Amino acid sequence: MTSAGGRRTAGEPTPSGPLTVAVRVKPGVSRARVGGCHEGPYGPALVVAVNAPPVDGRATEAVRRALAAALDVRPAAVTLRTGTTSRDKLFAVDGPVPLLDARLRRLRDGSAD
């Protein structure tokens, strides 16, 4: 499915290559968690709350590792595509796209459908 502008929506499986995951970061929280949905500039985004402060890329690195753990992939399989200094980020995740997409939907929307 594509958006009105012809772009693929974040979290949509691509025929080949990594899955693109839109993420909304909540840095500096007391309890880290992965789950929930936020309507962001890239479409529905997975909410990732991390303890790390938004300083010197620490929150981004914590989000990358938390996302990898939540999707059950190696941290090296998750790379930041855009949003270095923003709360709204796009990550590329290497792995079996149908399986990753189902896990992402379960985390973001609370369902596997």
Side-chain angles (χ1 to χ4, degrees):
M1 177 181 277
T2 57
S3 65
R7 295 181 323 180
R8 289 189 167 282
T9 57
E12 180 180 330
T14 57
S16 62
L19 178 71
T20 299
V21 179
V23 172
R24 173 65 172 202
V25 178
K26 291 188 175 184
V29 299
S30 60
R31 190 174 137 231
R33 71 174 186 85
V34 177
C37 186
H38 173 80
E39 281 300 323
Y42 305 114
L46 176 65
V47 177
V48 181
V50 294
N51 301 100
V55 177
D56 297 329
R58 288 190 265 176
T60 299
E61 178 60 18
V63 168
R64 188 179 71 81
R65 290 182 177 279
L67 183 59
L71 295 175
D72 197 25
V73 298
R74 298 174 291 107
V78 180
T79 56
L80 181 66
R81 287 187 47 208
T82 188
T84 305
T85 60
S86 174
R87 287 179 185 240
D88 296 300
K89 300 179 184 299
L90 285 179
F91 285 90
V93 182
D94 287 322
V97 172
L99 183 60
L100 290 174
D101 190 53
R103 288 177 184 160
L104 175 63
R105 281 190 308 230
R106 200 168 27 254
L107 289 166
R108 186 184 59 210
D109 306 328
S111 71
D113 299 327

